[in-house]
Amino acid sequence: TQRQLDQNPHQNVTTAIPKNGFPVYMFDLQHTFKMDNGDRFDFGAYYFNADFSFTDAQWGFYRDLWQDAGFSWRHQLNGSLFGMKNRFVWGGLTQWMWINDHENEAVNGVRGSFRFNERDDWNNVEAYFEDQLALTDAFSLVAGAQVNYRKVSYDHLFPELAAGQPAQGDQDFFNF
């Protein structure tokens, strides 16, 4: 009721979401190499894992396991071009993501038979560059570009689909 929410806005009577949230683990490593003239090279790598498991007595028991890993890089070069200060930056990101979804029926609030399973895979690759040419101390000409590629794949593992329905699919995305 509105009165209950006013007295304690943090209460949650649902059985769907764990009271303390979902377990999430992440490992991240970043490193910078500093070079001459202020040049630098940055590199990073990470791994992310989240277990979105929850129970809803009416709808079922769900387990969605998300894993994500990748690395990134960025290189900054400082120099001159046509006698003017120039900064050139290039870099990118590569990422892999895996999602595994499971679902069981709920029978009188108890885990019932297995009813659904799918797996999604995402692969991302991004690259960019930017050039900053200082025409004066107060005015710079900036030009850059970025390219992105993503491949998404889907596998329906259970239950068996009706005849003619695809159990797999994938899609490529590209932009510049």
Side-chain angles (χ1 to χ4, degrees):
T1 66
Q2 182 66 45
R3 183 173 176 222
Q4 289 172 315
L5 285 174
D6 289 341
Q7 290 173 349
N8 181 2
H10 301 288
Q11 64 183 322
N12 180 6
V13 296
T14 182
T15 60
I17 307 295
K19 290 183 181 197
N20 295 326
F22 300 104
V24 173
Y25 305 97
M26 184 170 183
F27 171 78
D28 188 9
L29 175 66
Q30 301 288 327
H31 190 72
T32 298
F33 297 98
K34 293 184 179 178
M35 298 175 243
D36 296 335
N37 297 334
D39 294 355
R40 60 187 285 165
F41 184 79
D42 303 310
F43 176 83
Y46 74 95
Y47 174 77
F48 173 85
N49 181 309
D51 186 354
F52 298 111
S53 296
F54 61 96
T55 300
D56 182 88
Q58 180 179 0
W59 300 104
F61 297 85
Y62 301 93
R63 178 156 193 226
D64 294 351
L65 181 61
W66 293 49
Q67 297 177 78
D68 187 354
F71 63 92
S72 63
W73 63 96
R74 181 182 183 275
H75 191 188
Q76 176 180 310
L77 301 162
N78 299 301
S80 63
L81 182 65
F82 308 119
M84 295 175 273
K85 286 184 188 177
N86 191 67
R87 175 180 291 159
F88 184 79
V89 178
W90 67 278
L93 166 72
T94 302
Q95 176 186 37
W96 301 272
M97 179 184 251
W98 309 274
I99 304 170
N100 199 352
D101 298 335
H102 297 146
E103 183 179 320
N104 289 73
E105 291 179 346
V107 179
N108 296 325
V110 177
R111 186 183 305 252
S113 62
F114 187 57
R115 68 176 174 193
F116 180 78
N117 187 357
E118 76 176 34
R119 179 165 174 97
D120 304 322
D121 295 314
W122 299 50
N123 300 311
N124 299 310
V125 178
E126 300 177 8
Y128 63 89
F129 78 87
E130 177 181 292
D131 191 71
Q132 303 170 16
L133 181 62
L135 300 176
T136 70
D137 287 341
F139 185 75
S140 293
L141 177 64
V142 178
Q146 181 176 3
V147 63
N148 299 300
Y149 171 75
R150 173 180 286 173
K151 182 177 183 74
V152 178
S153 299
Y154 168 83
D155 287 321
H156 180 91
L157 303 172
F158 185 84
E160 189 173 321
L161 297 173
Q165 284 190 301
Q168 296 178 332
D170 57 26
Q171 180 76 42
D172 293 318
F173 301 93
F174 178 81
N175 60 48
F176 178 79

